[in-house]
């Protein structure tokens, strides 16, 4: 893509994710919220965190495009490095994991991850914007331009660190409220929950490797923006 076209695309994607993040954080709930909902608000849900992650990523991408357009190449190089690291380690793996895990669990038993009562609170279009559209957006980003992936060890360490932070956040919320962020977790014994978290981390790592594979297959090893 031409830089001007990329800038337009990244700007529109940023506005889209900002709008979705704003919409989900301003959903009106008639019933009084439980202690679980009050503690940490919606920042406990990976889906919501991913929306803000994507907004940040596309904002950084738009900034990189603008800097290239105005020939601020030294600044652009630094921003592009941040953009590529953000996309490879977080934006693509998390979006892919959110979409795959949500719809897999939803198909198996939606009450475990998205109770039917939420249908009257969250519009259908917003549900698909949060859980479906994120994956095609991630794929489109790979098709739009090449991204430089970090060394495999570095990338996986950063990804694992962020995953452990989120797991720690979920466990902390349970220790304070006595309720799990997702009803699914209540079905597991401590050892079963540890195995579930380990399996989830393995899936996220597969998502990372999948993104790296697609980037290499489409763009090769040498072509980078």
């Amino acid at each position: 893509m031409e830089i001007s076209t990329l800038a337009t695309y990244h700007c529109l994607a940023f506005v889209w994710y900002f709008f979705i993040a704003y919409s989900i954080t301003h959903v009106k709930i008639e019933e009084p919220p439980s202690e679980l909902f009050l503690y940490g608000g919606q920042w406990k849900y990976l889906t919501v965190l991913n929306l803000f992650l994507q907004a940040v990523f596309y904002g950084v991408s738009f900034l990189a495009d603008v800097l290239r357009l105005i020939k601020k190449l030294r600044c652009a190089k630094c921003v592009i490095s941040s953009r590529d690291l953000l996309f490879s380690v977080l934006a693509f793996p998390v979006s892919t994991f959110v979409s795959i895990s949500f719809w897999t669990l939803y198909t198996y038993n939606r009450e475990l991850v998205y109770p039917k009562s939420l249908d009257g609170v969250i519009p259908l279009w917003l549900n698909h914007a949060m859980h479906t559209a994120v994956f095609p957006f991630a794929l489109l980003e790979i098709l739009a331009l090449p991204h430089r992936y970090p060394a495999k060890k570095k990338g996986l360490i950063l990804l694992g660190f962020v995953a452990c932070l989120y797991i720690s956040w979920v466990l902390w919320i349970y220790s304070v409220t006595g309720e799990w962020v997702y009803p699914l977790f209540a079905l597991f014994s401590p050892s079963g929950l540890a195995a579930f978290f380990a399996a989830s981390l393995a899936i996220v790592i597969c998502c990372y490797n999948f993104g790296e594979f697609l980037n290499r297959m489409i763009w090769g090893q040498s072509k980078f923006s």
Side-chain angles (χ1 to χ4, degrees):
M1 285 188 185
E2 295 291 333
I3 299 177
S4 58
T5 304
L6 280 174
T8 301
Y9 163 64
H10 285 143
C11 181
L12 291 175
F14 169 74
V15 171
W16 166 255
Y17 273 112
F18 185 85
F19 169 70
I20 298 304
Y22 177 85
S23 298
I24 192 60
T25 53
H26 287 77
V27 167
K28 295 181 179 179
I29 301 177
E30 297 180 357
E31 295 293 329
S34 65
E35 181 183 1
L36 174 63
F37 185 83
L38 288 173
Y39 192 86
Q42 297 185 359
W43 297 102
K44 64 178 66 63
Y45 301 110
L46 185 60
T47 295
V48 176
L49 293 173
N50 181 55
L51 294 176
F52 282 90
L53 167 64
Q54 300 306 317
V56 170
F57 165 71
Y58 282 106
V60 172
S61 297
F62 177 61
L63 176 60
D65 297 334
V66 171
L67 290 173
R68 293 172 69 192
L69 282 172
I70 62 177
K71 307 301 183 181
K72 299 290 186 179
L73 299 183
R74 182 175 297 181
C75 294
K77 185 177 180 180
C78 180
V79 176
I80 288 172
S81 296
S82 300
R83 177 202 69 189
D84 289 347
L85 185 65
L86 190 59
F87 178 77
S88 61
V89 174
L90 291 178
F92 184 88
V94 175
S95 285
T96 306
F97 176 78
V98 165
S99 187
I100 292 175
S101 61
F102 176 83
W103 288 113
T104 299
L105 293 170
Y106 185 98
T107 302
Y108 174 72
N109 183 355
R110 66 171 297 177
E111 295 299 318
L112 297 177
V113 65
Y114 193 83
K116 194 174 180 63
S117 58
L118 289 178
D119 288 345
V121 178
I122 300 177
L124 181 62
W125 71 267
L126 185 53
N127 180 23
H128 282 293
M130 295 187 298
H131 298 115
T132 307
V134 291
F135 182 54
F137 263 103
L139 289 178
L140 182 58
E141 178 64 21
I142 285 185
L143 293 172
L145 74 161
H147 296 82
R148 184 181 296 275
Y149 271 67
K152 179 64 68 72
K153 183 178 180 180
K154 177 183 177 181
L156 293 181
I157 288 176
L158 290 173
L159 178 60
F161 176 73
V162 174
C164 289
L165 280 181
Y166 180 69
I167 292 172
S168 299
W169 174 227
V170 168
L171 294 175
W172 174 258
I173 291 172
Y174 176 74
S175 71
V176 173
T177 66
E179 297 181 64
W180 289 109
V181 171
Y182 297 104
L184 170 70
F185 296 161
L187 301 179
F188 295 106
S189 64
S191 58
L193 189 62
F196 178 83
F197 285 147
S200 297
L201 179 57
I203 293 173
V204 172
I205 290 174
C206 288
C207 293
Y208 174 92
N209 289 328
F210 178 58
E212 185 180 34
F213 169 78
L214 288 179
N215 188 73
R216 184 174 64 252
M217 289 296 294
I218 295 171
W219 300 103
Q221 296 281 13
S222 60
K223 184 179 180 182
F224 294 100
S225 60

PDB file of all heavy atoms in Angstrom, residues 183-211:
ATOM      1  N   PRO A 183     -17.379 -17.305  34.593  1.00  0.00           N
ATOM      2  CA  PRO A 183     -17.993 -18.448  35.285  1.00  0.00           C
ATOM      3  C   PRO A 183     -17.300 -19.772  35.000  1.00  0.00           C
ATOM      4  O   PRO A 183     -17.320 -20.683  35.828  1.00  0.00           O
ATOM      5  CB  PRO A 183     -19.436 -18.454  34.739  1.00  0.00           C
ATOM      6  CG  PRO A 183     -19.680 -17.038  34.307  1.00  0.00           C
ATOM      7  CD  PRO A 183     -18.359 -16.535  33.813  1.00  0.00           C
ATOM      8  N   LEU A 184     -16.656 -19.866  33.846  1.00  0.00           N
ATOM      9  CA  LEU A 184     -15.948 -21.084  33.457  1.00  0.00           C
ATOM     10  C   LEU A 184     -14.937 -21.517  34.506  1.00  0.00           C
ATOM     11  O   LEU A 184     -14.782 -22.709  34.798  1.00  0.00           O
ATOM     12  CB  LEU A 184     -15.246 -20.846  32.116  1.00  0.00           C
ATOM     13  CG  LEU A 184     -14.252 -21.908  31.644  1.00  0.00           C
ATOM     14  CD1 LEU A 184     -15.005 -23.184  31.259  1.00  0.00           C
ATOM     15  CD2 LEU A 184     -13.444 -21.387  30.465  1.00  0.00           C
ATOM     16  N   PHE A 185     -14.249 -20.567  35.114  1.00  0.00           N
ATOM     17  CA  PHE A 185     -13.167 -20.892  36.043  1.00  0.00           C
ATOM     18  C   PHE A 185     -13.664 -21.615  37.291  1.00  0.00           C
ATOM     19  O   PHE A 185     -12.900 -22.354  37.924  1.00  0.00           O
ATOM     20  CB  PHE A 185     -12.418 -19.627  36.452  1.00  0.00           C
ATOM     21  CG  PHE A 185     -11.721 -18.935  35.314  1.00  0.00           C
ATOM     22  CD1 PHE A 185     -11.343 -17.600  35.417  1.00  0.00           C
ATOM     23  CD2 PHE A 185     -11.438 -19.602  34.127  1.00  0.00           C
ATOM     24  CE1 PHE A 185     -10.694 -16.959  34.371  1.00  0.00           C
ATOM     25  CE2 PHE A 185     -10.801 -18.976  33.078  1.00  0.00           C
ATOM     26  CZ  PHE A 185     -10.429 -17.643  33.195  1.00  0.00           C
ATOM     27  N   ALA A 186     -14.926 -21.401  37.649  1.00  0.00           N
ATOM     28  CA  ALA A 186     -15.479 -22.024  38.858  1.00  0.00           C
ATOM     29  C   ALA A 186     -15.618 -23.538  38.702  1.00  0.00           C
ATOM     30  O   ALA A 186     -15.777 -24.251  39.698  1.00  0.00           O
ATOM     31  CB  ALA A 186     -16.834 -21.404  39.195  1.00  0.00           C
ATOM     32  N   LEU A 187     -15.552 -24.034  37.487  1.00  0.00           N
ATOM     33  CA  LEU A 187     -15.718 -25.469  37.238  1.00  0.00           C
ATOM     34  C   LEU A 187     -14.447 -26.256  37.542  1.00  0.00           C
ATOM     35  O   LEU A 187     -14.509 -27.476  37.670  1.00  0.00           O
ATOM     36  CB  LEU A 187     -16.123 -25.708  35.779  1.00  0.00           C
ATOM     37  CG  LEU A 187     -17.415 -25.040  35.290  1.00  0.00           C
ATOM     38  CD1 LEU A 187     -17.641 -25.368  33.819  1.00  0.00           C
ATOM     39  CD2 LEU A 187     -18.609 -25.494  36.133  1.00  0.00           C
ATOM     40  N   PHE A 188     -13.321 -25.562  37.656  1.00  0.00           N
ATOM     41  CA  PHE A 188     -12.040 -26.250  37.786  1.00  0.00           C
ATOM     42  C   PHE A 188     -11.569 -26.341  39.236  1.00  0.00           C
ATOM     43  O   PHE A 188     -11.837 -25.454  40.049  1.00  0.00           O
ATOM     44  CB  PHE A 188     -10.959 -25.517  36.984  1.00  0.00           C
ATOM     45  CG  PHE A 188     -11.185 -25.512  35.495  1.00  0.00           C
ATOM     46  CD1 PHE A 188     -11.609 -24.367  34.846  1.00  0.00           C
ATOM     47  CD2 PHE A 188     -10.960 -26.659  34.745  1.00  0.00           C
ATOM     48  CE1 PHE A 188     -11.808 -24.357  33.479  1.00  0.00           C
ATOM     49  CE2 PHE A 188     -11.152 -26.662  33.379  1.00  0.00           C
ATOM     50  CZ  PHE A 188     -11.581 -25.507  32.734  1.00  0.00           C
ATOM     51  N   SER A 189     -10.849 -27.426  39.518  1.00  0.00           N
ATOM     52  CA  SER A 189     -10.093 -27.529  40.760  1.00  0.00           C
ATOM     53  C   SER A 189      -8.849 -26.659  40.598  1.00  0.00           C
ATOM     54  O   SER A 189      -8.538 -26.219  39.482  1.00  0.00           O
ATOM     55  CB  SER A 189      -9.691 -28.984  41.004  1.00  0.00           C
ATOM     56  OG  SER A 189      -8.807 -29.424  39.980  1.00  0.00           O
ATOM     57  N   PRO A 190      -8.115 -26.386  41.677  1.00  0.00           N
ATOM     58  CA  PRO A 190      -6.887 -25.585  41.536  1.00  0.00           C
ATOM     59  C   PRO A 190      -5.918 -26.141  40.494  1.00  0.00           C
ATOM     60  O   PRO A 190      -5.368 -25.392  39.679  1.00  0.00           O
ATOM     61  CB  PRO A 190      -6.285 -25.625  42.944  1.00  0.00           C
ATOM     62  CG  PRO A 190      -7.481 -25.745  43.838  1.00  0.00           C
ATOM     63  CD  PRO A 190      -8.430 -26.642  43.097  1.00  0.00           C
ATOM     64  N   SER A 191      -5.720 -27.462  40.503  1.00  0.00           N
ATOM     65  CA  SER A 191      -4.813 -28.057  39.523  1.00  0.00           C
ATOM     66  C   SER A 191      -5.408 -27.977  38.114  1.00  0.00           C
ATOM     67  O   SER A 191      -4.685 -27.761  37.133  1.00  0.00           O
ATOM     68  CB  SER A 191      -4.509 -29.510  39.882  1.00  0.00           C
ATOM     69  OG  SER A 191      -5.708 -30.271  39.944  1.00  0.00           O
ATOM     70  N   GLY A 192      -6.724 -28.148  38.033  1.00  0.00           N
ATOM     71  CA  GLY A 192      -7.380 -28.050  36.730  1.00  0.00           C
ATOM     72  C   GLY A 192      -7.307 -26.639  36.175  1.00  0.00           C
ATOM     73  O   GLY A 192      -7.122 -26.443  34.965  1.00  0.00           O
ATOM     74  N   LEU A 193      -7.424 -25.648  37.065  1.00  0.00           N
ATOM     75  CA  LEU A 193      -7.337 -24.254  36.630  1.00  0.00           C
ATOM     76  C   LEU A 193      -5.926 -23.928  36.149  1.00  0.00           C
ATOM     77  O   LEU A 193      -5.751 -23.228  35.143  1.00  0.00           O
ATOM     78  CB  LEU A 193      -7.733 -23.330  37.787  1.00  0.00           C
ATOM     79  CG  LEU A 193      -7.897 -21.850  37.433  1.00  0.00           C
ATOM     80  CD1 LEU A 193      -9.011 -21.666  36.412  1.00  0.00           C
ATOM     81  CD2 LEU A 193      -8.198 -21.034  38.694  1.00  0.00           C
ATOM     82  N   ALA A 194      -4.924 -24.455  36.860  1.00  0.00           N
ATOM     83  CA  ALA A 194      -3.538 -24.244  36.439  1.00  0.00           C
ATOM     84  C   ALA A 194      -3.308 -24.845  35.058  1.00  0.00           C
ATOM     85  O   ALA A 194      -2.641 -24.244  34.204  1.00  0.00           O
ATOM     86  CB  ALA A 194      -2.585 -24.861  37.457  1.00  0.00           C
ATOM     87  N   ALA A 195      -3.881 -26.039  34.818  1.00  0.00           N
ATOM     88  CA  ALA A 195      -3.748 -26.687  33.514  1.00  0.00           C
ATOM     89  C   ALA A 195      -4.463 -25.876  32.433  1.00  0.00           C
ATOM     90  O   ALA A 195      -3.963 -25.749  31.303  1.00  0.00           O
ATOM     91  CB  ALA A 195      -4.318 -28.102  33.575  1.00  0.00           C
ATOM     92  N   PHE A 196      -5.622 -25.303  32.786  1.00  0.00           N
ATOM     93  CA  PHE A 196      -6.363 -24.479  31.827  1.00  0.00           C
ATOM     94  C   PHE A 196      -5.566 -23.238  31.449  1.00  0.00           C
ATOM     95  O   PHE A 196      -5.482 -22.879  30.266  1.00  0.00           O
ATOM     96  CB  PHE A 196      -7.717 -24.076  32.413  1.00  0.00           C
ATOM     97  CG  PHE A 196      -8.523 -23.180  31.516  1.00  0.00           C
ATOM     98  CD1 PHE A 196      -9.292 -23.712  30.494  1.00  0.00           C
ATOM     99  CD2 PHE A 196      -8.508 -21.800  31.697  1.00  0.00           C
ATOM    100  CE1 PHE A 196     -10.031 -22.884  29.648  1.00  0.00           C
ATOM    101  CE2 PHE A 196      -9.237 -20.973  30.863  1.00  0.00           C
ATOM    102  CZ  PHE A 196     -10.000 -21.515  29.843  1.00  0.00           C
ATOM    103  N   PHE A 197      -4.976 -22.584  32.439  1.00  0.00           N
ATOM    104  CA  PHE A 197      -4.159 -21.404  32.159  1.00  0.00           C
ATOM    105  C   PHE A 197      -2.943 -21.767  31.305  1.00  0.00           C
ATOM    106  O   PHE A 197      -2.565 -21.025  30.386  1.00  0.00           O
ATOM    107  CB  PHE A 197      -3.710 -20.750  33.460  1.00  0.00           C
ATOM    108  CG  PHE A 197      -4.791 -19.988  34.172  1.00  0.00           C
ATOM    109  CD1 PHE A 197      -4.821 -19.929  35.559  1.00  0.00           C
ATOM    110  CD2 PHE A 197      -5.775 -19.320  33.468  1.00  0.00           C
ATOM    111  CE1 PHE A 197      -5.808 -19.220  36.228  1.00  0.00           C
ATOM    112  CE2 PHE A 197      -6.782 -18.613  34.126  1.00  0.00           C
ATOM    113  CZ  PHE A 197      -6.791 -18.555  35.508  1.00  0.00           C
ATOM    114  N   ALA A 198      -2.341 -22.912  31.603  1.00  0.00           N
ATOM    115  CA  ALA A 198      -1.182 -23.358  30.828  1.00  0.00           C
ATOM    116  C   ALA A 198      -1.579 -23.636  29.380  1.00  0.00           C
ATOM    117  O   ALA A 198      -0.859 -23.279  28.433  1.00  0.00           O
ATOM    118  CB  ALA A 198      -0.563 -24.596  31.465  1.00  0.00           C
ATOM    119  N   ALA A 199      -2.748 -24.275  29.197  1.00  0.00           N
ATOM    120  CA  ALA A 199      -3.232 -24.567  27.849  1.00  0.00           C
ATOM    121  C   ALA A 199      -3.552 -23.273  27.099  1.00  0.00           C
ATOM    122  O   ALA A 199      -3.269 -23.147  25.899  1.00  0.00           O
ATOM    123  CB  ALA A 199      -4.471 -25.456  27.923  1.00  0.00           C
ATOM    124  N   SER A 200      -4.130 -22.312  27.804  1.00  0.00           N
ATOM    125  CA  SER A 200      -4.441 -21.017  27.183  1.00  0.00           C
ATOM    126  C   SER A 200      -3.171 -20.314  26.742  1.00  0.00           C
ATOM    127  O   SER A 200      -3.111 -19.732  25.653  1.00  0.00           O
ATOM    128  CB  SER A 200      -5.220 -20.136  28.166  1.00  0.00           C
ATOM    129  OG  SER A 200      -6.465 -20.717  28.502  1.00  0.00           O
ATOM    130  N   LEU A 201      -2.143 -20.377  27.584  1.00  0.00           N
ATOM    131  CA  LEU A 201      -0.861 -19.767  27.228  1.00  0.00           C
ATOM    132  C   LEU A 201      -0.266 -20.447  26.001  1.00  0.00           C
ATOM    133  O   LEU A 201       0.280 -19.786  25.108  1.00  0.00           O
ATOM    134  CB  LEU A 201       0.107 -19.857  28.405  1.00  0.00           C
ATOM    135  CG  LEU A 201       1.513 -19.278  28.180  1.00  0.00           C
ATOM    136  CD1 LEU A 201       1.435 -17.813  27.770  1.00  0.00           C
ATOM    137  CD2 LEU A 201       2.369 -19.444  29.435  1.00  0.00           C
ATOM    138  N   ALA A 202      -0.415 -21.763  25.927  1.00  0.00           N
ATOM    139  CA  ALA A 202       0.088 -22.508  24.765  1.00  0.00           C
ATOM    140  C   ALA A 202      -0.637 -22.072  23.490  1.00  0.00           C
ATOM    141  O   ALA A 202      -0.017 -21.929  22.429  1.00  0.00           O
ATOM    142  CB  ALA A 202      -0.079 -24.005  24.991  1.00  0.00           C
ATOM    143  N   ILE A 203      -1.940 -21.821  23.605  1.00  0.00           N
ATOM    144  CA  ILE A 203      -2.715 -21.382  22.441  1.00  0.00           C
ATOM    145  C   ILE A 203      -2.271 -19.990  22.008  1.00  0.00           C
ATOM    146  O   ILE A 203      -2.140 -19.704  20.813  1.00  0.00           O
ATOM    147  CB  ILE A 203      -4.222 -21.401  22.767  1.00  0.00           C
ATOM    148  CG1 ILE A 203      -4.698 -22.833  22.980  1.00  0.00           C
ATOM    149  CG2 ILE A 203      -5.025 -20.753  21.627  1.00  0.00           C
ATOM    150  CD1 ILE A 203      -6.128 -22.946  23.468  1.00  0.00           C
ATOM    151  N   VAL A 204      -2.038 -19.105  22.986  1.00  0.00           N
ATOM    152  CA  VAL A 204      -1.572 -17.757  22.667  1.00  0.00           C
ATOM    153  C   VAL A 204      -0.220 -17.815  21.945  1.00  0.00           C
ATOM    154  O   VAL A 204       0.013 -17.080  20.982  1.00  0.00           O
ATOM    155  CB  VAL A 204      -1.464 -16.901  23.941  1.00  0.00           C
ATOM    156  CG1 VAL A 204      -0.801 -15.561  23.632  1.00  0.00           C
ATOM    157  CG2 VAL A 204      -2.842 -16.657  24.536  1.00  0.00           C
ATOM    158  N   ILE A 205       0.643 -18.704  22.402  1.00  0.00           N
ATOM    159  CA  ILE A 205       1.952 -18.866  21.754  1.00  0.00           C
ATOM    160  C   ILE A 205       1.772 -19.366  20.321  1.00  0.00           C
ATOM    161  O   ILE A 205       2.475 -18.917  19.398  1.00  0.00           O
ATOM    162  CB  ILE A 205       2.836 -19.828  22.560  1.00  0.00           C
ATOM    163  CG1 ILE A 205       3.254 -19.170  23.884  1.00  0.00           C
ATOM    164  CG2 ILE A 205       4.077 -20.235  21.762  1.00  0.00           C
ATOM    165  CD1 ILE A 205       4.005 -20.094  24.816  1.00  0.00           C
ATOM    166  N   CYS A 206       0.814 -20.269  20.124  1.00  0.00           N
ATOM    167  CA  CYS A 206       0.515 -20.743  18.763  1.00  0.00           C
ATOM    168  C   CYS A 206       0.019 -19.587  17.889  1.00  0.00           C
ATOM    169  O   CYS A 206       0.376 -19.503  16.701  1.00  0.00           O
ATOM    170  CB  CYS A 206      -0.534 -21.850  18.810  1.00  0.00           C
ATOM    171  SG  CYS A 206       0.072 -23.425  19.459  1.00  0.00           S
ATOM    172  N   CYS A 207      -0.780 -18.698  18.482  1.00  0.00           N
ATOM    173  CA  CYS A 207      -1.262 -17.529  17.745  1.00  0.00           C
ATOM    174  C   CYS A 207      -0.098 -16.633  17.344  1.00  0.00           C
ATOM    175  O   CYS A 207      -0.067 -16.078  16.233  1.00  0.00           O
ATOM    176  CB  CYS A 207      -2.262 -16.742  18.590  1.00  0.00           C
ATOM    177  SG  CYS A 207      -3.820 -17.612  18.926  1.00  0.00           S
ATOM    178  N   TYR A 208       0.860 -16.474  18.249  1.00  0.00           N
ATOM    179  CA  TYR A 208       2.067 -15.689  17.953  1.00  0.00           C
ATOM    180  C   TYR A 208       2.822 -16.313  16.782  1.00  0.00           C
ATOM    181  O   TYR A 208       3.210 -15.623  15.826  1.00  0.00           O
ATOM    182  CB  TYR A 208       2.949 -15.632  19.192  1.00  0.00           C
ATOM    183  CG  TYR A 208       4.294 -14.975  18.967  1.00  0.00           C
ATOM    184  CD1 TYR A 208       4.473 -13.608  19.192  1.00  0.00           C
ATOM    185  CD2 TYR A 208       5.389 -15.716  18.513  1.00  0.00           C
ATOM    186  CE1 TYR A 208       5.714 -13.006  18.978  1.00  0.00           C
ATOM    187  CE2 TYR A 208       6.629 -15.117  18.299  1.00  0.00           C
ATOM    188  CZ  TYR A 208       6.782 -13.777  18.532  1.00  0.00           C
ATOM    189  OH  TYR A 208       8.004 -13.182  18.316  1.00  0.00           O
ATOM    190  N   ASN A 209       3.042 -17.625  16.851  1.00  0.00           N
ATOM    191  CA  ASN A 209       3.772 -18.317  15.794  1.00  0.00           C
ATOM    192  C   ASN A 209       3.024 -18.261  14.464  1.00  0.00           C
ATOM    193  O   ASN A 209       3.644 -18.171  13.399  1.00  0.00           O
ATOM    194  CB  ASN A 209       4.023 -19.771  16.188  1.00  0.00           C
ATOM    195  CG  ASN A 209       5.058 -19.901  17.295  1.00  0.00           C
ATOM    196  OD1 ASN A 209       5.977 -19.098  17.385  1.00  0.00           O
ATOM    197  ND2 ASN A 209       4.902 -20.907  18.147  1.00  0.00           N
ATOM    198  N   PHE A 210       1.700 -18.311  14.535  1.00  0.00           N
ATOM    199  CA  PHE A 210       0.874 -18.235  13.331  1.00  0.00           C
ATOM    200  C   PHE A 210       1.047 -16.876  12.654  1.00  0.00           C
ATOM    201  O   PHE A 210       1.207 -16.790  11.435  1.00  0.00           O
ATOM    202  CB  PHE A 210      -0.588 -18.472  13.691  1.00  0.00           C
ATOM    203  CG  PHE A 210      -1.542 -18.359  12.532  1.00  0.00           C
ATOM    204  CD1 PHE A 210      -1.384 -19.161  11.409  1.00  0.00           C
ATOM    205  CD2 PHE A 210      -2.597 -17.454  12.565  1.00  0.00           C
ATOM    206  CE1 PHE A 210      -2.264 -19.061  10.328  1.00  0.00           C
ATOM    207  CE2 PHE A 210      -3.480 -17.350  11.505  1.00  0.00           C
ATOM    208  CZ  PHE A 210      -3.315 -18.157  10.388  1.00  0.00           C
ATOM    209  N   GLY A 211       1.038 -15.808  13.451  1.00  0.00           N
ATOM    210  CA  GLY A 211       1.237 -14.474  12.896  1.00  0.00           C
ATOM    211  C   GLY A 211       2.601 -14.323  12.265  1.00  0.00           C
ATOM    212  O   GLY A 211       2.747 -13.760  11.172  1.00  0.00           O
TER     213      GLY A 211
END
